[in-house]
Amino acid sequence: MNQPLPSVTYNMGDPLPRGFYLQDTREVARLLLGKWLVHREDDWILTGVIVETEAYLKDDPACHASRGITNRNAPMFGNPGHAYVYFTYGMYHCFNAVTAPEGIGEAVLVRAIQPVEGIEVMQERRGTNDVFNLASGPGKLCMALGLSLKQNGFDLAASPLTIVDTGERLQSEVIATTRVGISKAVEMPWRYYLAGNRFVSRK
DNA sequence: TTAATGATGGGCT
DNA sequence: GCCCATCATTAAA
């Protein structure tokens, strides 16, 4: 008798539960390091290890949500564990995981991933074969994974876009530094990355 | 190697 | 009109 085919050929881990995103946003940013960001598209699966994040908090001048709810930042005030994707600089997208209870307005920006699966597709989309340049930046990783406003608001525990825990323990030390590309609250050390990792956006 | 610059368009005062 | 949670390219050192 034939066995049913599994939807994936191996167990890549379970999606992070909603409660994970209800921890302190800076803690979520730290804990997301080492987790897998997965985008299931029609003909392939694109995955990478999260290696760099930034926390954006309420009452944080650099946070999109700090000046109240707008049409653009509305997802930040919505359900934790959902995607907040925004369009910026006229041509790029950035991907966030919404944290904190509904109505608060906090999120973690994923700034870089280490490509694992679907590297050929990423290379095609990015126009380069250099694996260290495929997703080493928030705009780059959205290009590589095919993330745009279409994924804005997606449930990261029940959609083609998900973050999973492989169960592997972090081997690298976590470095905390100031955030990149902002002009307000520049001194807050809420950027996190894996020490020595070559896939981060900068050292 | 690092630093400066242009691209490009939506959001918001 | 100015500001952007950016990136690729060019120039300089």
Side-chain angles (χ1 to χ4, degrees), chain A residues 57-176:
Chain A
L57 313 182
K58 73 181 176 69
D59 302 325
D60 165 14
C63 178
H64 288 177
S66 66
R67 286 165 297 285
I69 189 169
T70 66
N71 190 56
R72 181 204 202 193
N73 66 21
M76 287 191 79
F77 293 88
N79 295 324
H82 285 233
Y84 166 47
V85 183
Y86 66 87
F87 180 70
T88 190
Y89 289 105
M91 60 184 101
Y92 300 111
H93 293 87
C94 293
F95 165 77
N96 297 254
V98 175
T99 60
E102 199 168 339
I104 301 298
E106 301 194 343
V108 172
L109 171 70
V110 179
R111 286 193 54 88
I113 61 171
Q114 176 172 334
V116 171
E117 189 175 10
I119 291 178
E120 298 80 6
V121 174
M122 298 186 198
Q123 289 171 325
E124 175 73 20
R125 290 178 173 174
R126 291 279 298 118
T128 177
N129 290 329
D130 179 5
V131 291
F132 298 110
N133 194 30
L134 291 181
S136 55
K140 296 178 189 177
L141 81 85
C142 283
M143 274 186 267
L145 290 190
L147 303 183
S148 67
L149 292 180
K150 183 180 181 185
Q151 285 76 31
N152 194 23
F154 274 24
D155 184 348
L156 297 176
S159 78
L161 179 61
T162 186
I163 302 177
V164 304
D165 185 356
T166 64
E168 292 182 25
R169 184 173 287 269
L170 263 192
Q171 56 184 4
S172 305
E173 178 188 359
V174 174
I175 307 288

